[in-house]
């Protein structure tokens, strides 16, 4: 067993230490490589590069394993609650009964927004995408909670983390209610996190809102399944933003912006829009042919890390069926989804490329059945992922080896040349 790798360039060899994690691939430590060799390593897309050390989430993409602090995602989704998972991600352990009560109290009593904050929403056009509202509103939180912006104070870091986890549902629900022209609903402290969120989204002053335990559980499960996912694009964005010492409200706003992209969090909206575009089962073969001709991608399929199956997709599929059964919905889009899944899983094009349905494939159908419009899907993802982002931000911040993130590049542009006056150009 060797604890170093040797890289030879020309007639010079460089020893690179190999670092071992508790599980998963070892890493070749190239931190001193540039200083020693005057070479960078090249890895756009970070397919082979570990950007940090972390104890929060472990993924084995080939085996379809996702662990949070060591606990398998299916066990957490089945047995835990979102707030318990928040405590786990943020603090490293499942809470004791006493810790759970305290944590729940802390989150519950931070759910309200400053009254003046509501005027922000009025400034947006009624048809604004709720993700546009989220990116703006979350960044703006820092203007209201200036008493927790000192990132060097652990107590303030904790308060900011609690505020973000607590206020995201209130902001997300307001973004939704605003877009449909309904009045904002104030959070209620006697309700659970997910129940409170659903009430803030769907209750109207004209009638009493009645909770539905199946939908509350489904919402909680969706939040658990999206809570964290290692060093994905938005989390890496949060870490990179935070590496400069930026406060968490700014960093999470950056994470939300990154999540919005269709290759990341935007995929659940796109997956459902794709099903709508396909429309009926008969149209599937022609659509799949278009995918093979590389005219477009099958949204909700494929994953950078899971090349076997997405363990979250399995739980999500079950939740999806439960919700549809509870609501008595016979959604024709579900038929299209199931048939598409069958076709894709049996077609060599998809098998060879290891393209399996990911979580977005099923979460889109579930959220639609629950009454959320497609443009809210990514917002719900952002709400749930906030705890992952803030946990990773906290871990990065508390790492004594923290350095400002500063990737290098392979420069292929013009080499140095002299300025040409305008009259001599062209
Ligand atoms: N549909 C059709 N073909 C695909 C798809 C897809 N969804 N995904 C990848 N491929 C093909 C590529 O065209 C490529 O084919 P080639 O070898 O003939 O060129 C091959 O599979 C490998 O694809 P890459 O792009 O190299 O895979 P990568 O790991 O970089 O991409 C990604 C992962 C971005 C998720 C991609 O699969 C994708 O765009 N999927 C659709 C969007 C989606 O559902 N995103 C959600 C991700 S999960 C999440 O954020 C919660």
């Amino acid at each position: 067993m060797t604890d170093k790798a040797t890289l030879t360039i020309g007639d010079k060899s460089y020893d690179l230490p190999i670092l071992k994690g508790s599980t998963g691939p070892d890493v070749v430590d190239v931190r001193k490589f540039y200083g020693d060799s005057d070479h960078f390593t090249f890895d756009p897309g970070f397919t082979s590069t570990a950007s940090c050390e972390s104890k929060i989430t472990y993924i084995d993409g080939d085996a379809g394993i996702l662990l949070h602090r060591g606990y398998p995602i299916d066990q957490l989704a089945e047995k835990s609650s979102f707030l318990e998972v928040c405590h786990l991600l943020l603090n490293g352990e499942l809470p004791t009964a006493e810790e759970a009560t305290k944590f729940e109290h802390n989150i519950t009593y931070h759910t309200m927004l400053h009254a003046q904050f509501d005027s922000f929403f009025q400034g947006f056009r009624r048809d604004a995408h709720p993700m546009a509202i989220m990116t703006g509103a979350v960044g703006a939180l820092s203007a209201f909670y200036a008493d927790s912006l000192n990132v060097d104070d652990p107590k303030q870091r904790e308060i900011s983390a609690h505020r973000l986890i607590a206020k995201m549902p209130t902001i997300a629900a307001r973004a939704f209610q605003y877009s449909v022209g309904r009045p904002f609903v104030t959070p209620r402290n006697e309700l659970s996190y997910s129940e409170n969120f659903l009430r803030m989204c769907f209750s109207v002053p004209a009638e009493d809102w009645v909770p539905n335990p199946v939908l509350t559980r489904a919402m909680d499960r969706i939040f658990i399944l999206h809570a964290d996912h290692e060093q994905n694009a938005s989390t890496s964005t949060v870490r990179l933003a935070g590496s400069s010492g930026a406060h968490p409200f700014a960093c999470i706003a950056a994470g939300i912006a990154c999540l919005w992209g269709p290759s990341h969090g935007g995929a659940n909206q796109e997956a459902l829009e794709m099903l709508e575009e396909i429309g009926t089962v008969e149209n599937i073969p022609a659509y799949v042919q278009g995918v093979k001709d590389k005219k477009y991608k099958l949204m909700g399929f494929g994953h950078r890390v899971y090349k076997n199956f997405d363990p979250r997709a399995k739980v999500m599929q079950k939740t999806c069926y439960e919700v549809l059964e509870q609501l008595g919905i016979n959604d024709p889009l579900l038929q299209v989804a199931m048939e598409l899944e069958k076709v894709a899983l049996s077609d060599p094009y998809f098998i060879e490329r290891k393209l399996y349905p990911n979580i977005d494939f099923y979460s889109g159908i579930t959220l639609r059945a629950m009454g959320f419009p497609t443009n809210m899907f990514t917002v719900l993802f952002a709400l749930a992922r906030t705890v992952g982002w803030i946990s990773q931000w906290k871990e990065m911040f508390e790492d004594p080896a923290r350095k400002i993130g500063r990737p290098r590049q392979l420069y292929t542009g013009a080499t140095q040349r002299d300025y040409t006056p305008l009259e001599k150009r062209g």
Side-chain angles (χ1 to χ4, degrees), residues 264 267 294 297-298 300-301 303-304 307 353 355 358 360:
H264 193 8
K294 299 212 184 278
K297 277 188 173 174
L298 212 47
F301 278 72
H303 199 276
R304 168 59 61 82
K307 298 298 182 194
R353 289 169 179 75
L355 298 170
N358 57 44
D360 293 325

Side-chain angles (χ1 to χ4, degrees), residues 357-368:
N358 57 44
I359 182 172
D360 293 325
F361 188 65
Y362 299 106
S363 64
I365 303 162
T366 314
L367 293 172
R368 172 183 153 105

Side-chain angles (χ1 to χ4, degrees), residues 342-378:
K342 235 189 280 169
V343 171
L345 293 180
S346 56
D347 189 308
Y349 180 92
F350 298 94
I351 295 171
E352 279 160 22
R353 289 169 179 75
K354 301 188 177 209
L355 298 170
Y356 298 84
N358 57 44
I359 182 172
D360 293 325
F361 188 65
Y362 299 106
S363 64
I365 303 162
T366 314
L367 293 172
R368 172 183 153 105
M370 290 169 77
F372 287 105
T374 46
N375 66 5
M376 273 296 288
F377 293 0
T378 317

